[in-house]
């Protein structure tokens, strides 16, 4: 008997299905399990024997139904049950059970076989879902789907087919499919032999709607065959592409236009892919690079550039930034020739931001670069020439002013002595000629400074009315000699106090009024000053100098403001002058934010008009300046007369030294002379002086160096001796150098006695 039991268990373990025996009823305790049920549910034998059979059922009602059917019928066949595995996962099984009566009818069992039904269950589920999905897709597809029988008549269709074809169900059912197509298109479709091939996809054709309207469609056809290979029908899918065809046509037309534009562009345009290979280009690219299609297609774009230039392009991080415009670089032509280009790059990305390529635009700037280099070279040459001119003018100024100082100085000193009328007249002629020569020199220097941009306008507060009156009063001496009167007119709204440069305004007015006096023989000269415009503090003031002179021919009026140009070639011989005054005035007026012009009729006189921009000062500011001016005037009037000055004169030219000494001694001042800067230092240590007149250029130690040493020594002594530059260096930068070295004043040669005396007196007064 023991041997039979072992054989029985072995037999059950060899079954290809799961098996277990359990009590029938609520107890449902397991009494036997085979190996397959353990594998199926993932338990060990010990674990499974401890639990009830009902615990394996996902739904308790399934277990209860099993017990009920087994008790009633004695068996259950292929019951679908969902079991719960040890790992909590579920598995569908086919369950069969047989009722077994125990000994003495006190116990009842059921023998249960279990087969894995999950794969079949999944297939059934997938089929149902597939059918439902097909039905959903079929009914809701945005394409027309038709099904035909073996006679090519429509037997089924989706709702979209009705809408697209414009037909009702009655019109579609059993309709021959060929009636949907124009005859020509049906013959073309027949030529594809679709029945023989079994499938045809993406064919563009046309169909006719009931209203006669023809639309463009894209169709795909699949032939249906039975198991014997005979055709039983077909499925057709149609998509309306009418709008797409219209859009495609417009795109093609647009592309053609773009291609025409690109091919006729005077710039090389390339399109690269995501691997930086050239995939498209315009005709000018081939022309500029000397390449053909085979040279460009799929060419790595980096190979167009010299290695150093490509590194420079890479350093711009264009892929990260997205674009770069007007990058100057170089490319290598097919023949190896390198040309300069202006490069612009735009990176292309798809709608997800992924880089898909780039567009590059190249313009040949080789000639432009060469021209720029020529311009730079010309600019450098011009600057060198300008520097040479400035140096020449500075040297010429010094060399001319030194003998001019001697001439004018000796003439002034001689005119102060007892002379006959003839001698005085002769010397006056000499003095006038020397003054004219000095005026020419000053004009040339002024013009060179303006052209070199070395004149800067001051912004100081000044009384416009007083400046204009001063100019007219100063020139009235000359005008009276010709029996001419200068008339000054102010408009009522012209501000009195303004912010600007009075010296340059005075210079322009003097030039214009002097010209008017020169070319007028009788009548008056009028200076009219008016307000051209006002915006807040900003004012534009208009000046008009009107004469009754010889006038200017119309064809010469646009040239008189040019350098060394006058209205007539004979003007210089008849009236004198250099033709520089108006050129300088024009440049100064433009610097003052205005413009200048002339209105004239030959023989009827001329009117020169110019404007200048200033800032008008408020009444409070004018009042304050008025009080300050009065106090200054009072201070000047109350100041004691400067007498008994001890002056140290540093001058290496012996003749100029003697002339300057005699001028100063006539003022009652004591003069000690030094030939160089070293003598100046020695004399200052040994003597007390009220002021030093210092020539800038002297042997052994020049005036600038000597001044710096004096100022350095004064930091220890606490004293300060006034030093005034007395030099033939008359350029603006020369004045700045003198003042920067520590000098207190500046007077240029030839010496104007009044200017020199005023500078000495003012400097000494400031010191006291």
């Amino acid at each position: 008997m023991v041997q039979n039991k072992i054989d029985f268990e072995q037999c059950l373990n060899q079954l290809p299905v799961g098996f277990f025996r359990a009590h029938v009823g609520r107890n449902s305790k397991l009494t036997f399990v085979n190996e397959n049920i353990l594998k199926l549910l993932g338990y060990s034998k010990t674990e499974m024997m401890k639990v009830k059979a009902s615990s394996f059922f996902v739904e308790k009602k399934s277990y209860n139904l099993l017990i009920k059917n087994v008790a009633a019928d004695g068996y259950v066949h292929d019951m679908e049950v969902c079991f719960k595995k040890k790992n909590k996962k579920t598995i569908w099984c086919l369950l069969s059970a047989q009722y077994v009566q125990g000994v003495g009818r006190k116990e009842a069992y059921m023998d249960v076989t279990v087969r894995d039904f999950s794969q079949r269950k999944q297939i059934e589920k997938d089929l149902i879902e597939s059918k439902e999905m097909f039905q959903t897709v079929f009914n809701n597809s945005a394409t027309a789907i038709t099904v035909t029988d073996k006679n090519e008549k429509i037997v089924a269709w989706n709702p979209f087919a009705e809408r697209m074809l414009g037909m009702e169900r009655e019109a579609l059912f059993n309709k021959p499919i060929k009636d949907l197509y124009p005859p020509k298109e049906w013959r073309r479709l027949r030529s594809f032999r679709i029945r023989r091939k079994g499938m045809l996809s993406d064919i563009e054709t046309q169909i006719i709607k009931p209203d006669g309207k023809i639309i463009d469609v894209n169709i795909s056809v699949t032939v249906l065959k039975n198991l014997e290979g005979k055709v039983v029908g077909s499925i057709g899918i149609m998509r309306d592409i009418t709008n797409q065809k219209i859009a495609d046509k417009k795109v093609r037309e647009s592309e053609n236009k773009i291609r025409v534009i690109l091919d006729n562009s005077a710039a090389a345009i390339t399109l690269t892919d995501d691997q930086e290979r050239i995939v498209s280009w315009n005709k000018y690219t081939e022309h500029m690079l000397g390449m053909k299609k085979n040279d460009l297609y799929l060419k790595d774009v980096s190979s167009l550039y010299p290695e150093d230039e490509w590194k420079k392009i890479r350093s711009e991080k264009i892929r990260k930034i997205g674009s770069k415009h007007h990058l100057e670089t170089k490319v290598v032509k097919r023949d190896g020739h390198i040309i300069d280009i202006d490069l612009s790059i735009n990176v292309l990305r798809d709608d997800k931001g992924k880089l898909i390529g780039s567009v590059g635009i190249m313009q040949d700037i080789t000639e432009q670069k060469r021209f720029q280099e020529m311009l730079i070279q010309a600019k450098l040459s011009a600057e060198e020439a300008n520097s040479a001119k400035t140096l020449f003018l500075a040297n010429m100024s010094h060399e001319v002013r030194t003998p001019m100082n001697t001439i004018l100085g000796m003439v002034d000193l001689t005119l102060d002595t007892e002379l006959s009328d003839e001698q005085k007249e002769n010397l006056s002629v000499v003095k006038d000629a020397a003054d004219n020569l000095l005026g020419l020199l000053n004009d040339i220097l002024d013009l060179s400074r303006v052209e070199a941009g070395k004149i800067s306008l001051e912004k100081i507060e000044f009384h416009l009315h007083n400046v204009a009156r001063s100019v007219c009063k100063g020139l009235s001496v000359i005008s009276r000699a010709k029996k001419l009167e200068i008339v000054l007119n102010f408009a009522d709204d012209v501000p009195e106090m303004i912010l600007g440069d009075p010296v340059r305004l005075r210079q322009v007015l003097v030039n214009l009024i002097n010209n008017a006096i020169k070319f007028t023989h009788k009548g008056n000269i009028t200076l009219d000053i008016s307000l051209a415009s006002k915006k807040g503090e900003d004012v534009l003031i208009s000046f008009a100098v009107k004469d009754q002179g010889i006038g200017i021919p119309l064809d010469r009026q646009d040239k008189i403001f040019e350098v060394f140009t006058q209205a007539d070639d004979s003007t210089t011989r008849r009236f004198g002058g250099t033709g520089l005054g108006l050129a300088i005035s024009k440049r100064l007026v433009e610097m003052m934010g205005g413009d200048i012009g002339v209105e004239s009729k030959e023989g009827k006189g001329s009117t020169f008009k110019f404007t200048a921009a200033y800032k008008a000062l408020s009444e409070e500011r004018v009042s304050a300046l008025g009080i300050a001016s009065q106090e200054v005037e009072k201070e000047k009037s109350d100041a004691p007369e400067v007498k008994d000055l001890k002056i140290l004169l540093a001058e290496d030219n012996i003749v100029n030294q003697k002339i300057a000494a005699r001028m100063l001694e006539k003022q009652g001042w004591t003069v000690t002379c030094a030939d160089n800067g070293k003598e100046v230092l020695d004399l200052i240590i040994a003597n007390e002086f009220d002021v030093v007149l210092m020539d800038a250029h002297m042997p052994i130690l020049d005036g600038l160096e000597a001044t710096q040493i004096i100022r350095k020594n004064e930091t220890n002594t606490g004293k300060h001796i006034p030093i005034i530059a007395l030099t033939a260096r008359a350029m603006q930068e020369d004045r700045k150098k003198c003042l920067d070295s520590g000098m207190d004043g500046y007077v240029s040669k030839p010496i104007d006695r009044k200017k020199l005396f005023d500078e000495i007196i003012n400097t000494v007064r400031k010191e006291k």
Side-chain angles (χ1 to χ4, degrees):
M1 291 296 294
V2 174
Q3 182 66 40
N4 291 337
K5 184 179 180 182
I6 293 172
D7 292 343
F8 175 72
E9 288 183 2
Q10 288 178 346
C11 181
L12 290 175
N13 283 329
Q14 294 298 319
L15 289 175
V17 295
F19 176 85
F20 67 86
R21 171 173 284 186
H23 285 279
V24 176
R26 294 184 178 180
N27 183 14
S28 67
K29 184 178 179 181
L30 294 169
T31 61
F32 179 82
V33 293
N34 75 343
E35 294 293 333
N36 270 337
I37 194 66
L38 295 176
K39 291 178 183 178
L40 187 66
L41 299 181
Y43 287 93
S44 67
K45 184 174 183 180
T46 304
E47 290 171 338
M48 195 162 180
M49 293 299 290
K50 290 180 180 180
V51 296
K52 296 179 180 180
S54 60
S55 63
F56 304 128
F57 288 77
V58 174
E59 295 181 349
K60 292 299 179 183
K61 64 180 183 180
S62 296
Y63 177 74
N64 294 333
L65 181 63
L66 172 66
I67 296 299
K68 180 181 177 182
N69 291 338
V70 168
D73 300 331
Y75 69 94
V76 171
H77 181 68
D78 288 344
M79 179 179 177
E80 292 183 14
V81 177
C82 188
F83 273 8
K84 180 167 55 179
K85 299 172 71 172
K86 179 184 176 182
N87 60 8
K88 307 301 181 183
K89 291 185 177 180
T90 59
I91 180 172
W92 281 96
C93 299
L94 279 179
L95 183 150
S96 295
Q98 181 70 43
Y99 182 85
V100 179
Q101 181 64 50
V103 179
R105 296 183 179 274
K106 292 183 178 180
E107 292 182 338
Y109 303 94
M110 57 180 178
D111 290 336
V112 181
T113 57
V114 180
R115 286 180 293 159
D116 184 354
F117 184 61
S118 56
Q119 187 174 2
R120 180 179 167 187
K121 190 72 175 178
Q122 185 63 43
I123 292 171
E124 289 178 356
K125 182 181 177 183
D126 291 344
L127 286 172
I128 293 170
E129 289 178 352
S130 176
K131 183 178 180 181
E132 290 175 350
M133 184 180 294
F134 172 78
Q135 196 64 36
T136 301
V137 171
F138 186 79
N139 290 330
N140 295 281
S141 175
T143 57
I145 303 174
T146 59
V147 180
T148 61
D149 61 13
K150 63 180 181 181
N151 298 317
E152 295 182 329
K153 292 183 178 181
I154 300 173
V155 293
W157 59 91
N158 66 342
F160 193 85
E162 294 180 15
R163 293 197 297 273
M164 191 183 88
L165 299 174
M167 296 182 183
E168 300 293 337
R169 297 175 62 86
E170 294 77 9
L172 277 170
F173 185 66
N174 271 335
K175 184 179 183 66
I177 192 72
K178 72 174 184 178
D179 291 351
L180 297 180
Y181 300 90
K184 182 179 179 182
E185 287 300 309
W186 180 251
R187 287 195 296 273
R188 185 169 74 89
L189 292 175
R190 275 297 192 201
S191 69
F192 292 134
R193 301 182 182 278
I194 303 173
R195 286 198 164 199
R196 180 181 296 178
K197 293 179 180 178
M199 180 181 291
L200 189 66
S201 61
D202 289 330
I203 298 298
E204 289 188 9
T205 182
Q206 293 177 324
I207 60 174
I208 306 173
K209 297 178 72 171
D211 60 3
K213 183 179 179 181
I214 295 177
I215 61 174
D216 294 290
V217 294
N218 177 288
I219 67 168
S220 293
V221 179
T222 301
V223 177
L224 302 176
K225 296 181 180 181
N226 60 17
L227 294 177
E228 297 174 355
K230 293 181 178 181
V231 175
V232 294
S234 66
I235 298 176
I237 299 174
M238 291 184 288
R239 184 166 54 89
D240 186 349
I241 60 170
T242 305
N243 292 334
Q244 179 183 326
K245 292 280 283 186
I246 294 171
D248 288 345
K249 183 180 179 182
K250 289 181 178 179
V251 168
R252 286 194 299 273
E253 290 174 352
S254 178
E255 287 177 347
N256 289 336
K257 289 179 182 178
I258 292 172
R259 174 54 62 182
V260 170
I261 292 171
L262 293 180
D263 284 341
N264 288 278
S265 173
I269 303 171
T270 59
L271 176 66
T272 61
D273 61 13
D274 59 336
Q275 299 179 48
E276 296 184 324
R277 299 174 303 180
I278 299 172
V279 293
S280 184
W281 59 91
N282 66 340
K283 288 183 180 179
Y284 192 82
T285 304
E286 298 178 12
H287 170 74
M288 189 181 84
L289 299 177
M291 296 181 180
K292 296 181 179 179
K293 292 181 179 180
N294 293 338
D295 301 318
L296 286 168
Y297 185 61
L298 293 183
K299 184 182 183 69
D300 195 315
V301 74
S302 64
S303 63
L304 296 180
Y305 303 88
E307 186 176 348
D308 291 344
E309 293 298 315
W310 181 246
K311 288 180 180 178
K312 183 176 79 172
I313 294 171
R314 273 287 190 231
S315 69
E316 296 288 341
K317 299 181 179 178
I318 301 172
R319 284 194 158 199
K320 183 177 180 181
I321 297 171
S323 65
K324 180 69 179 180
H325 300 289
H326 302 302
L327 176 64
E328 289 193 6
T329 182
K330 301 175 185 294
V331 292
V332 184
K333 297 178 68 173
R334 189 172 185 272
D335 60 6
H337 185 63
I338 296 176
I339 60 174
D340 294 288
I341 63 164
D342 176 280
L343 174 65
S344 292
I345 299 174
N346 282 289
V347 174
L348 303 176
R349 297 183 184 276
D350 62 17
D351 54 359
K352 295 180 180 178
K354 182 181 177 182
L355 190 146
I356 57 174
S358 63
V359 176
I361 301 175
M362 296 179 284
Q363 289 184 307
D364 188 349
I365 58 171
T366 307
E367 288 300 315
Q368 181 181 330
K369 289 283 287 184
R370 189 174 66 84
F371 184 65
Q372 285 178 349
E373 289 172 3
M374 291 171 60
L375 286 178
I376 292 170
Q377 190 59 46
K379 183 175 179 290
L380 292 174
S381 300
E383 288 174 350
E384 290 175 2
N386 192 52
S387 297
K389 180 187 77 172
T390 302
L391 181 62
F392 166 75
L393 289 172
N395 290 330
M396 184 196 76
S397 171
H398 180 267
E399 297 303 323
V400 172
R401 284 175 184 276
T402 300
M404 284 294 294
N405 186 59
T406 302
I407 294 169
L408 287 171
M410 292 302 295
V411 169
D412 283 337
L413 289 174
T414 305
L415 285 171
D416 288 342
T417 62
E418 291 291 334
L419 298 171
S420 66
D421 291 341
E422 184 179 357
Q423 289 172 329
K424 284 185 178 181
E425 184 181 351
N426 291 342
L427 287 174
S428 294
V429 172
V430 172
K431 188 174 186 308
D432 287 342
D435 285 338
N436 287 335
L437 183 58
L438 184 60
L440 171 61
L441 181 62
N442 288 334
D443 282 348
I444 293 173
L445 291 177
D446 263 349
L447 183 64
S448 67
R449 285 198 293 264
V450 171
E451 289 182 339
K454 293 186 177 180
I455 284 184
S456 57
L457 296 181
E458 288 187 303
K459 286 191 176 181
I460 60 175
E461 297 152 338
F462 69 94
H463 197 290
L464 173 61
H465 292 216
N466 286 350
V467 169
R469 290 190 190 103
S470 174
V471 170
C472 293
K473 185 176 180 181
L475 294 174
S476 63
V477 177
I478 304 172
S479 66
R480 286 197 196 102
K482 295 185 69 174
K483 298 180 179 180
L484 302 173
E485 183 180 355
I486 299 177
V487 179
L488 174 60
N489 297 319
F490 283 101
D492 294 337
D493 55 355
V494 175
E496 293 186 7
M497 294 299 302
I498 58 177
L499 189 69
D501 192 327
V503 174
R504 296 304 172 187
L505 173 60
R506 183 187 296 271
Q507 185 175 353
V508 175
L509 289 174
V510 168
N511 275 338
L512 296 182
I513 297 174
N514 249 333
N515 271 358
I517 294 171
K518 184 190 299 184
F519 298 113
T520 304
H521 302 298
K522 61 180 180 178
N524 297 332
I525 295 165
T526 305
L527 171 58
D528 292 324
I529 302 177
S530 60
L531 185 64
S533 66
K534 181 177 182 180
K535 188 176 182 180
E537 292 183 346
D538 297 322
V539 294
L540 188 67
I541 298 178
S542 175
F543 302 84
V545 177
K546 184 177 182 180
D547 64 52
Q548 296 173 312
I550 62 175
I552 304 168
L554 186 62
D555 60 345
R556 300 290 293 175
Q557 290 178 15
D558 59 341
K559 298 180 180 180
I560 59 172
F561 293 102
E562 296 176 6
V563 178
F564 297 112
T565 302
Q566 293 188 338
D568 191 277
D569 294 337
S570 63
T571 302
T572 303
R573 295 192 297 273
R574 292 168 58 196
F575 299 99
T578 62
L580 292 176
L582 289 178
I584 295 170
S585 296
K586 183 177 187 296
R587 286 157 175 77
L588 290 176
V589 166
E590 289 170 350
M591 289 176 66
M592 291 189 286
D595 52 51
I596 189 170
V598 63
E599 296 175 1
S600 182
K601 287 186 179 181
E602 198 169 0
K604 296 282 180 88
S606 304
T607 300
F608 283 84
K609 295 181 179 180
F610 73 92
T611 55
Y614 298 102
K615 284 192 178 295
L617 303 182
S618 63
E619 292 183 7
E620 294 80 3
R621 183 65 177 155
V622 171
S623 300
L625 288 170
I627 294 170
S629 300
Q630 292 171 13
E631 290 174 353
V632 171
E633 291 299 325
K634 185 176 184 299
E635 183 182 322
K636 287 183 179 180
S637 62
D638 293 343
E641 189 178 348
V642 179
K643 295 182 179 180
D644 301 326
L645 289 180
K646 292 181 180 179
I647 299 175
L648 176 56
L649 172 64
E651 171 63 71
D652 63 317
N653 187 293
I654 300 303
V655 176
N656 286 341
Q657 188 185 100
K658 289 180 179 180
I659 292 172
R662 285 175 63 184
M663 286 182 181
L664 297 168
E665 287 168 351
K666 282 191 174 187
Q667 292 296 107
W669 297 332
T670 303
V671 181
T672 301
C673 296
D675 296 334
N676 56 66
K678 187 177 182 306
E679 286 186 25
V680 171
L681 298 179
D682 295 338
L683 287 168
I684 286 178
I685 294 172
N687 301 278
E688 291 279 342
F689 294 100
D690 296 305
V691 65
V692 177
L693 300 180
M694 185 81 76
D695 189 9
H697 295 275
M698 294 184 293
I700 303 177
L701 188 67
D702 68 27
L704 300 178
E705 294 171 324
T707 300
Q708 291 169 352
I709 294 172
I710 292 169
R711 295 301 182 227
K712 185 176 181 180
N713 292 338
E714 287 176 349
T715 58
N716 298 321
T717 64
K719 296 181 180 181
H720 181 84
I721 182 171
I723 302 175
I724 298 172
L726 188 63
T727 176
R729 292 286 186 182
M731 303 291 277
Q732 187 71 21
E733 53 268 30
D734 295 317
R735 176 188 179 88
K736 186 175 184 302
K737 285 179 184 177
C738 292
L739 298 179
D740 289 346
S741 71
M743 296 186 187
D744 301 282
Y746 175 90
V747 177
S748 64
K749 297 176 183 176
I751 298 171
D752 183 318
R753 284 189 292 180
K754 184 177 183 307
K755 287 182 181 179
L756 175 60
F757 298 157
D758 287 345
E759 190 76 6
I760 292 171
I761 292 169
N762 291 334
T763 304
V764 172
R765 279 177 174 170
K766 287 178 186 176
E767 192 62 27
K768 290 182 177 181

